[in-house]
Amino acid sequence: MTTALTLSAIQYTALDGGLAANVPEHIRLIEDADDHGARLVVFPELSLTGYRLDGLADPDRWVTAGDARLDGLREICRRTGITAVVGAPFKDADGTPRLASLALHPGGQLETGFKVWLHGPEQQSFSAGDRTAVLDLDGWRVALAIGPDAGRPAHARGAAEAGADIYAVSALYADGEDNRLAGHLGARARDNRMFSLLANLGGTTERGASAGGSGFWGPDGGVIRQAAGTGTEVLTATLQHNVLAP
């Protein structure tokens, strides 16, 4: 078992312009995380497009597994050795629409995690996932959650039962949801004796201004590090596996 893992949570303010505008910014931020020694980088919910459900009628807003527009991200992951988790509207091979976290590995593999607890108008645009995706990285197991998944204790419990050491949440917590954010991330870590991580979408979206608050929580439920504001910010931490021992 590798005893330490350095990883970055990216609080990201998505740009207008879809993938063409946001992929280069993702590459720049992955390079920043690489300068801090990160092996895993986690972006927020729908980071590649922004939280713009009204634009989903445009087929260009949807990503597929072999999408050439992701090639720049694949290359930076290959070059740095980083696994990057990015958020996007995703079409399965059979065309099923998903609100997804896409894990791009240095070797070119793509793993997907799908939002399980869709809410509001998301239910008209996406099909819900039915499992907690768990990545294997340097001897660590990292579970992926999206938005309200983190508010459901059963989701994190399923991750823990699958052996997860880290519960990585890509989300949009809006202004006024600060207490929910802190409660969800702290409780999921404490109740399941694992680390939790939040990459929150920054700036202003159709759901209003961001609450910020991206960061890391320890297995005691306490904050390790959190963002200072609500804009784009790279937060990096080195986690020690032996802290998880009972």
Side-chain angles (χ1 to χ4, degrees):
M1 165 66 67
T2 300
T3 59
L5 179 67
T6 300
L7 66 169
S8 294
I10 310 292
Q11 184 167 284
Y12 180 63
T13 303
L15 305 177
D16 292 334
L19 271 71
N22 287 293
V23 166
E25 279 298 290
H26 279 56
I27 292 170
R28 180 182 69 80
L29 292 164
I30 292 168
E31 289 174 333
D32 187 317
D34 181 49
D35 288 343
H36 292 88
R39 292 278 295 136
L40 173 69
V41 175
V42 181
F43 284 87
E45 181 175 7
L46 296 177
S47 63
L48 287 176
T49 60
Y51 195 94
R52 290 282 307 278
L53 302 186
D54 59 353
L56 292 175
D58 181 355
D60 286 343
R61 292 186 74 81
W62 294 86
V63 175
T64 59
D67 202 314
R69 295 173 297 173
L70 301 180
D71 284 352
L73 290 171
R74 294 187 182 97
E75 173 57 23
I76 191 65
C77 291
R78 183 201 64 78
R79 181 163 61 80
T80 60
I82 284 173
T83 293
V85 177
V86 302
F90 180 78
K91 289 286 182 74
D92 268 341
D94 63 3
T96 303
R98 305 288 194 178
L99 202 166
S101 286
L102 309 177
L104 300 159
H105 293 283
Q109 313 96 306
L110 173 70
E111 291 188 79
T112 56
F114 304 138
K115 190 171 188 174
V116 175
W117 297 98
L118 299 169
H119 66 93
E122 294 173 357
Q123 297 173 76
Q124 282 71 60
S125 300
F126 302 101
S127 295
D130 60 2
R131 61 182 176 83
T132 305
V134 181
L135 312 178
D136 289 298
L137 180 67
D138 293 353
W140 290 70
R141 288 177 63 76
V142 182
L144 303 182
I146 304 175
D149 293 348
R152 304 280 180 158
H155 191 271
R157 187 163 57 248
E161 290 169 353
D165 307 300
I166 300 170
Y167 190 62
V169 182
S170 299
L172 169 53
Y173 285 93
D175 187 34
E177 296 182 320
D178 311 64
N179 289 338
R180 291 180 68 241
L181 180 164
H184 291 166
L185 274 294
R188 300 299 85 84
R190 182 185 63 250
D191 293 349
N192 298 284
R193 193 76 193 161
M194 56 188 178
F195 294 100
S196 64
L197 169 161
L198 171 65
N200 199 22
L201 201 62
T204 301
T205 75
E206 63 186 47
R207 288 190 52 214
S210 169
S214 299
F216 304 88
W217 285 256
D220 61 355
V223 174
I224 296 172
R225 185 179 181 193
Q226 259 186 308
T230 62
T232 296
E233 188 172 345
V234 178
L235 297 111
T236 302
T238 298
L239 307 181
Q240 302 291 337
H241 197 275
N242 58 10
V243 173
L244 300 176

